[in-house]
Amino acid sequence: MSGISRRGFVQRALGGLAGAALVGSCASVTPKAVSSPAPPDWTALRGQLDGTLSLPSSPDYATAKGIFNSRYNGSTPAAVVAAASVADVQKAMTFASTNRFGISVRSGGHSYIGASALDAALVLDLRRLPGGVDLDPGSNTVTVLPAATLDAVQTQLSRSGRLIPSGSCPTVGVAGLTLGGGLGSDARLRGLTCDALVSASLVLPSGDVVTASADDHPDLFWALRGGGGGNLGVVTSLTFRTFPTTDRDVVTLTFPMESAAAVIVGWQHWLSSAARDIWGMVNVTVGDGPGRCTVILATPPGTGSSVAGDMLSTAGLSASTNHVRTMNRIDFIQYFEGGDAARVPRAFVAGSDIIAEMTSAAADSIVSAMSAWPQSAGSATAVVESLSGAVDDVDPAASAFPWRRQAASIQWYTEAASDAASGWLTAAHQALGPSSVGGYINYPEAGDPLTRYLGPNMARFNTIRQKYDPTGLMRSGISG
Ligand SMILES: Cc1cc2nc3c(=O)[nH]c(=O)nc-3n(C[C@H](O)[C@H](O)[C@H](O)COP(=O)(O)OP(=O)(O)OC[C@H]3O[C@@H](n4cnc5c(N)ncnc54)[C@H](O)[C@@H]3O)c2cc1C
């Protein structure tokens, strides 16, 4: 695994590190090809902005369009607007609409498919919007900027003893994570990140600024919770309910590769009926040495050993190694962030499947997909995360995130060369066959239709998207 330590990978993978794919395709509704009446007046746009404009001829263009997955370093957006105000967002969207550019929004820049730096689009980079992480101690809600990183949000909240459920990668942006759902180590107790969303402000393709909540534009609020980023409009702030932090034990159990299928099935079934303050994931890694299967659990402080013992005896498993450590919230955040290496952009390919039921056949298929990895190509990992607990409390039709009654998400991830990676991903999906019912939209693959990620919620999402973005100004990199 090039450039990062095994521990770093596992830690980042925890909340769901994942992968990329190839060229970002154009969004959903493509505007009719009509030639512009006049060339875009970039000078006029630049003069109107509080922020900056980078064109392909600008010295900072490569930096301005750079995102986390360096497979997209060669992307060619028409321009990048680094918005310094909501008014900038409105002006850039009006300009894009007039000049028939699609809008590609960039918050944390961690899209697997390069959707925040799409070819020919006007990129709206939100990292310079003014604001911070504002916790209201009265309501215990927090309002954050879309490009606030998970590290900034969780670290600042932890100083007040609060958290929002989220993923673990330090540099992922809150907006992209939330709009696609948001899986992490608090999911079983607190749900997805989008489940904690109270309201979001956004600039619509019409230029209007609206707030979406359960009471205000409820259809938009429904679609923002799990329908995926790059649709509907540009989110300029998000407000979440927060929850108290606690210390936690982190348990790491390793198993011989021959036990991997039994571990996946046993872990899944045990966890589904375990207390909700117990969370866990399974990593299966192949290549660069012998295959390894690891279970990571997070449990209430002081319970790690007994919880691990319960899992092992219930599932009839025997671990090769068993390590338990108690951590305060800050240590917990940093442990799962994976250190400085996790912040460094890299080239990766990844994808996902949603497993309806974790049968022995499904687990065997996961292991068989991993066994098919071309060992000489480097390493690859499957990260299995349970969708049980609080994720399952929400009706699958109550938000755009559809996978509330399924067993688990699998993330396929590799930093190996793309040919080997792409072939492996295809084979992995085939190996799972009917055990898989779709994919997680925050772990998308280029070329996949949106319906693979939204499943039964696709039709409603499309109706809402058509209402708010009738001309297809917004680009998500996912077709359909
Ligand atoms: C290293 C790594 C670790 C990860 N860990 C986790 C994890 O633990 N759990 C998990 O669930 N996921 C995880 N992910 C996946 C992550 O949630 C998605 O990649 C997410 O979309 C990234 O959001 P972003 O803002 O950083 O990315 P961006 O690339 O900026 O945005 C992603 C998508 O959302 C759109 N978008 C961004 N901001 C806005 C906005 N303000 N308004 C409208 N659309 C917007 C973009 O146009 C793009 O389509 C991880 C990804 C990586 C690369």
Side-chain angles (χ1 to χ4, degrees):
M1 182 161 300
S2 62
I4 55 172
S5 67
R6 161 73 189 150
R7 198 196 88 164
F9 172 75
V10 169
Q11 290 162 354
R12 286 176 297 114
L14 199 200
L17 209 206
L22 308 176
V23 184
S25 58
C26 282
S28 40
V29 190
T30 308
K32 287 189 180 132
V34 178
S35 55
S36 296
D41 188 347
W42 296 112
T43 307
L45 176 63
R46 183 176 273 130
Q48 294 170 16
L49 295 173
D50 299 317
T52 57
L53 171 70
S54 302
L55 295 169
S57 56
S58 307
D60 68 344
Y61 176 72
T63 309
K65 71 184 178 70
I67 57 174
F68 188 79
N69 190 347
S70 54
R71 288 171 58 83
Y72 296 95
N73 281 355
S75 71
T76 54
V80 180
V81 168
S85 61
V86 172
D88 277 0
V89 174
Q90 290 175 291
K91 287 170 193 163
M93 289 176 79
T94 301
F95 183 89
S97 178
T98 304
N99 292 283
R100 302 187 186 282
F101 293 111
I103 290 281
S104 170
V105 193
R106 192 230 206 259
S107 283
H110 281 56
S111 164
Y112 290 5
I113 55 173
S116 36
L118 289 174
D119 291 345
L122 181 62
V123 172
L124 250 174
D125 180 348
L126 305 179
R127 286 175 292 174
R128 288 183 56 192
L129 285 180
V133 176
D134 298 322
L135 178 67
D136 175 355
S139 62
N140 273 324
T141 57
V142 64
T143 299
V144 300
L145 293 171
T149 63
L150 301 189
D151 176 65
V153 173
Q154 298 297 18
T155 301
Q156 289 184 48
L157 280 179
S158 73
R159 294 190 187 119
S160 303
R162 309 297 297 181
L163 62 79
I164 59 170
S166 81
S168 58
C169 175
T171 48
V172 161
V174 173
L177 180 87
T178 306
L179 296 173
L183 269 175
S185 56
D186 290 299
R188 276 182 42 81
L189 187 60
R190 306 299 186 192
L192 303 171
T193 312
C194 72
D195 296 337
L197 188 69
V198 174
S199 65
S201 297
L202 64 165
V203 181
L204 296 175
S206 63
D208 293 340
V209 178
V210 298
T211 299
S213 69
D215 301 322
D216 200 354
H217 296 84
D219 55 351
L220 196 50
F221 188 57
W222 178 93
L224 291 173
R225 288 174 293 141
N231 295 292
L232 308 161
V234 179
V235 173
T236 54
S237 82
L238 305 104
T239 299
F240 297 92
R241 69 181 61 88
T242 65
F243 302 91
T245 59
T246 58
D247 292 355
R248 288 169 100 176
D249 280 4
V250 175
V251 184
T252 308
L253 303 163
T254 61
F255 298 87
M257 193 61 185
E258 308 81 75
S259 313
V263 169
I264 293 169
V265 173
W267 162 83
Q268 172 81 41
H269 290 162
W270 165 81
L271 187 62
S272 306
S273 51
R276 288 186 171 200
D277 51 9
I278 298 169
W279 171 89
M281 67 184 292
V282 181
N283 292 327
V284 180
T285 297
V286 293
D288 286 349
R292 45 248 188 236
C293 175
T294 309
V295 172
I296 300 175
L297 305 174
T299 77
T303 68
S305 294
S306 61
V307 169
D310 184 47
M311 186 199 96
L312 293 170
S313 64
T314 304
L317 297 168
S318 176
S320 310
T321 64
N322 181 340
H323 181 259
V324 183
R325 192 175 142 198
T326 302
M327 299 184 194
N328 64 30
R329 178 66 186 165
I330 285 285
D331 288 344
F332 186 85
I333 293 168
Q334 291 176 351
Y335 182 80
F336 285 106
E337 282 183 348
D340 288 343
R343 298 170 182 267
V344 179
R346 69 210 54 218
F348 60 91
V349 173
S352 59
D353 276 287
I354 298 292
I355 303 296
E357 192 185 347
M358 193 59 83
T359 59
S360 295
D364 284 342
S365 306
I366 297 169
V367 175
S368 121
M370 296 311 291
S371 307
W373 171 253
Q375 298 282 323
S376 58
S379 70
T381 295
V383 181
V384 189
E385 287 185 78
S386 170
L387 296 168
S388 61
V391 177
D392 182 29
D393 284 348
V394 178
D395 189 289
S399 75
F401 185 88
W403 311 125
R404 309 272 188 183
R405 301 289 181 269
Q406 286 67 30
S409 149
I410 300 180
Q411 179 179 181
W412 313 100
Y413 178 90
T414 181
E415 294 174 9
S418 62
D419 286 354
S422 303
W424 169 65
L425 262 186
T426 304
H429 295 315
Q430 283 166 356
L432 285 182
S435 299
S436 171
V437 292
Y440 172 32
I441 198 163
N442 271 346
Y443 304 156
E445 290 160 59
D448 275 357
L450 188 57
T451 188
R452 177 165 189 262
Y453 300 103
L454 298 189
N457 287 336
M458 180 71 198
R460 184 173 179 196
F461 184 83
N462 250 344
T463 303
I464 296 167
R465 183 172 55 174
Q466 190 63 31
K467 173 180 168 186
Y468 287 98
D469 186 17
T471 64
L473 182 67
M474 301 296 299
R475 302 298 167 89
S476 70
I478 301 175
S479 59

